[in-house]
Amino acid sequence: MTIDAKDLAQRYVDALTEIGVVAKIDSENDVVFKMPGVGSFYVSLDAENDPEFMRLVYPNFYSSKDAGPVLTAINGVNMKNKAVKLWAREHEGELNVSASIESFLAAPNQAPDTGLLTATLERCIAAVRAGVASFAKESEGSI
């Protein structure tokens, strides 16, 4: 079954709208949105090869040149928190920390149901926020 990329992305926009989030589809048919007081998120989608899979990302919410404490805090969050995974990548001498949740939300080659997306995205956003709060606590600082 072929699923149109814009139609798949629109399901996510509709689900986010249901929970009070304004979202839009970008040029790559991913979904981008901002959470007030938090920052920008995106949902990475692949309608052609894996329409049932989604990756919710809160990119680059923290950066540091001191890798040791950052990696220790990331490890603590990844061991303790549900669903959310934090990761770091080096960019111009600093580690940029991002948070993400990846999930299969439908049967193979099927688009997820909008009702399921609404419930799942709300919970996933809360889990990302909890992971970021745990990172702040683990790193003994504020973000």
Side-chain angles (χ1 to χ4, degrees):
M1 172 184 209
T2 302
I3 297 164
D4 180 74
K6 284 200 184 303
D7 290 344
L8 179 62
Q10 188 61 50
R11 288 178 188 233
Y12 283 82
V13 169
D14 293 345
L16 287 162
T17 300
E18 281 290 316
I19 62 172
V21 176
V22 177
K24 66 180 182 177
I25 301 169
D26 71 9
S27 62
E28 296 177 1
N29 291 314
D30 291 329
V31 177
V32 295
F33 61 96
K34 289 185 180 182
M35 295 295 299
V38 180
S40 297
F41 287 71
Y42 68 89
V43 180
S44 178
L45 302 170
D46 182 359
E48 184 177 334
N49 298 307
D50 211 1
E52 66 275 15
F53 180 77
M54 74 99 186
R55 178 180 294 119
L56 172 67
V57 181
Y58 180 37
N60 305 321
F61 68 85
Y62 182 79
S63 65
S64 175
K65 292 184 184 209
D66 194 359
V70 169
L71 296 176
T72 298
I74 287 171
N75 192 51
V77 171
N78 289 344
M79 287 187 329
K80 296 174 187 173
N81 286 65
K82 293 179 184 177
V84 66
K85 298 300 172 230
L86 273 54
W87 42 276
R89 66 184 174 117
E90 192 277 328
H91 180 72
E92 297 180 2
E94 291 194 342
L95 284 180
N96 291 328
V97 180
S98 297
S100 63
I101 293 180
E102 299 176 345
S103 185
F104 295 104
L105 298 172
N109 296 313
Q110 300 295 313
D113 173 75
T114 303
L116 175 64
L117 288 178
T118 301
T120 302
L121 286 170
E122 188 166 32
R123 181 84 190 264
C124 286
I125 292 166
V128 166
R129 292 181 76 168
V132 171
S134 292
F135 177 80
K137 184 175 180 183
E138 288 279 339
S139 63
E140 299 179 7
S142 64
I143 297 173

